[in-house]
Amino acid sequence: MDAIVQQWSGEHVTMICLDQVVRCNGIVREKPVDEAQAREFLESYRAGHPAECINGIVLCNTATNTRISAVEISRIHFGPFPDNVIDNLIERKQLFTCAGGFVMEDPELSQHIEKIVGTPESIQGLPVLLVKQLLYHMNTPDFHALPPAPLAQITHVLFDMDGLLLDTEAAYTVAQAKILSRFQKHSSPQLKAKMMGRKAIESAKILIDDLELHGQLTPEEFVSEREVILDVLFAESAMMPGAERLILHLKKHNIPIAVATSSHTRHFQLKTNRHRHIFDLFDHIVTGDMVTQGKPHPEIFQLAISRFGDVDPGNVLVLEDAPLGVQAALRANMNVTMVPDAATHDRTVEPHHSIASLTLFDPTLWGLPPFE
């Protein structure tokens, strides 16, 4: 953009730059490279996995070099369609020119669109309403004071717990180090990142494999020994900075909220005992022993939101600190703000938004009421 702006320097021109990426099940999809990949993309769409179209927009006044930007996310859901539709789309070849491998306006494919969250123009890569809004803001004298367009219109918020609402990660680290010291073994940030967000026995298996403790310690023994240590440490769990403020704010404005944590019920009770006045504010609590599949499977978030009835996942925001939790939320087709652990931050995951602390959370970014 800067190179083009220089060509128009001094002239009153408003440049509009747009780009779009398509994501499905948390994975970015480029243009299909061959027929096999095109079929794979289309198979997933007809199986009920929506395409998420993320549009980035930058407007620039070349006379003043004033810029304003925004991101908009829309989703398109397809119903089942027969094999001959896939065959015909591939034969026409137009899908090979499109990120995500679909053409919404194709006469044959368009008959199988179930719903669009957003606008058809946004799915096609030209979010007209947002562009108009940004143009209006840019031509408002004090446009810098205006809030940015929200990433999505959120109606429900789901929270992870460990490391996000409660400072419990240190307890896991202490307990783990105590056990491993008997074997002259040490954990690492990389191992911690692999274990975060998983069910206890799954995490233990990863630890045993990574540290080559087979024959010395079983996953079941590790979990049992760790439980004894954690029972003491969890009783002292403190709230993370910004957590209580955000929960109270959402509750005050009648935004439905729920916890979706991999911790099982007994640990949940231990960790939250000092903070019952806060956790009693949640509409629902879903713990790891209530689901059969752990993160990154989306089951826990799907169960949590189902407790509210029929809610469009596109209107749900998940707050997570663990890479596996981010993947689970994306696979549930929900929006994600990540508050990563600096020591274990996996930069291969792509949440919609990331902040260093809940103290930096801006509700207006998601169409929620601003803090007073």
Side-chain angles (χ1 to χ4, degrees), residues 115-173:
K115 68 174 178 177
I116 291 174
V117 180
T119 65
E121 294 82 8
S122 294
I123 300 296
Q124 293 169 316
L126 182 60
V128 175
L129 293 177
L130 182 55
V131 171
K132 288 181 178 178
Q133 181 184 17
L134 294 180
L135 284 169
Y136 173 79
H137 284 188
M138 178 165 272
N139 289 297
T140 300
D142 192 24
F143 83 89
H144 288 291
L146 295 170
L151 296 178
Q153 291 296 330
I154 296 303
T155 60
H156 295 68
V157 181
L158 305 181
F159 291 82
D160 177 46
M161 185 177 71
D162 291 292
L164 180 84
L165 297 180
L166 291 177
D167 186 8
T168 56
E169 294 303 330
Y172 286 105
T173 301

Side-chain angles (χ1 to χ4, degrees), residues 20-31 37 40-41 44-45 49-54 75 99-102 296 323 326-334 336 348-352:
Q20 183 189 73
V21 296
V22 176
R23 183 162 56 184
C24 183
N25 291 330
I27 299 173
V28 173
R29 290 184 167 178
E30 303 291 349
K31 300 168 186 174
Q37 190 172 59
E40 177 189 344
F41 288 178
S44 68
Y45 299 143
H49 302 289
E52 186 178 57
C53 302
I54 306 168
R75 294 178 180 84
F102 71 92
V326 171
Q327 292 175 35
L330 292 173
R331 291 175 183 178
N333 298 310
M334 298 174 181
V336 192
T348 63
V349 297
E350 296 185 11
H352 299 98

Side-chain angles (χ1 to χ4, degrees), residues 275-339:
H275 312 286
R276 294 312 313 170
H277 64 294
I278 294 297
F279 283 87
D280 284 345
L281 297 175
F282 285 95
D283 299 291
H284 303 289
I285 304 290
V286 177
T287 55
D289 49 332
M290 297 179 184
V291 295
T292 57
Q293 300 284 338
K295 301 172 185 178
H297 193 281
E299 181 185 2
I300 195 164
F301 292 126
Q302 292 169 336
L303 176 60
I305 204 61
S306 72
R307 300 282 176 87
F308 292 103
D310 186 15
V311 178
D312 190 320
N315 298 127
V316 179
L317 174 65
V318 174
L319 291 159
E320 259 286 358
D321 70 310
L324 290 175
V326 171
Q327 292 175 35
L330 292 173
R331 291 175 183 178
N333 298 310
M334 298 174 181
N335 303 280
V336 192
T337 285
M338 187 180 190
V339 190

Side-chain angles (χ1 to χ4, degrees), residues 64-283:
T64 63
N65 202 30
T66 300
R67 303 186 185 195
I68 186 171
S69 62
V71 174
E72 182 187 68
I73 302 170
S74 297
R75 294 178 180 84
I76 183 167
H77 298 249
F78 293 97
F81 46 85
D83 291 341
N84 70 292
V85 172
I86 294 178
D87 295 336
N88 294 339
L89 289 168
I90 290 174
E91 185 177 344
R92 287 196 286 273
K93 299 186 183 303
Q94 189 178 1
L95 57 80
F96 292 101
T97 66
C98 301
F102 71 92
V103 182
M104 186 195 80
E105 59 270 31
D106 181 274
E108 197 169 11
L109 184 61
S110 63
Q111 298 177 36
H112 302 283
I113 297 173
E114 282 196 339
K115 68 174 178 177
I116 291 174
V117 180
T119 65
E121 294 82 8
S122 294
I123 300 296
Q124 293 169 316
L126 182 60
V128 175
L129 293 177
L130 182 55
V131 171
K132 288 181 178 178
Q133 181 184 17
L134 294 180
L135 284 169
Y136 173 79
H137 284 188
M138 178 165 272
N139 289 297
T140 300
D142 192 24
F143 83 89
H144 288 291
L146 295 170
L151 296 178
Q153 291 296 330
I154 296 303
T155 60
H156 295 68
V157 181
L158 305 181
F159 291 82
D160 177 46
M161 185 177 71
D162 291 292
L164 180 84
L165 297 180
L166 291 177
D167 186 8
T168 56
E169 294 303 330
Y172 286 105
T173 301
V174 170
Q176 192 164 291
K178 187 172 183 178
I179 297 170
L180 294 179
S181 65
R182 297 207 314 273
F183 306 97
Q184 289 76 53
K185 297 284 188 178
H186 303 279
S187 185
S188 66
Q190 294 75 23
L191 176 56
K192 182 179 178 182
K194 290 180 186 179
M195 297 171 67
M196 281 178 68
R198 295 186 187 271
K199 289 188 170 186
I201 198 68
E202 294 173 358
S203 295
K205 289 176 181 176
I206 291 171
L207 180 137
I208 301 299
D209 288 342
D210 251 51
L211 299 181
E212 299 179 345
L213 288 170
H214 298 284
Q216 302 176 71
L217 183 69
T218 68
E220 291 76 15
E221 288 169 343
F222 173 81
V223 171
S224 179
E225 188 172 342
R226 190 180 66 169
E227 288 279 295
V228 176
I229 303 171
L230 291 177
D231 281 356
V232 177
L233 298 176
F234 281 158
E236 301 302 318
S237 298
M239 295 291 292
M240 293 291 283
E244 183 170 345
R245 177 194 183 211
L246 177 56
I247 295 165
L248 292 172
H249 173 72
L250 295 175
K251 198 65 181 178
K252 176 181 177 181
H253 291 279
N254 299 313
I255 305 298
I257 55 177
V259 170
T261 174
S262 296
S263 290
H264 54 70
T265 301
R266 192 178 73 83
H267 272 178
F268 173 82
Q269 298 295 343
L270 280 170
K271 295 170 184 177
T272 62
N273 190 51
R274 291 177 56 206
H275 312 286
R276 294 312 313 170
H277 64 294
I278 294 297
F279 283 87
D280 284 345
L281 297 175
F282 285 95
D283 299 291

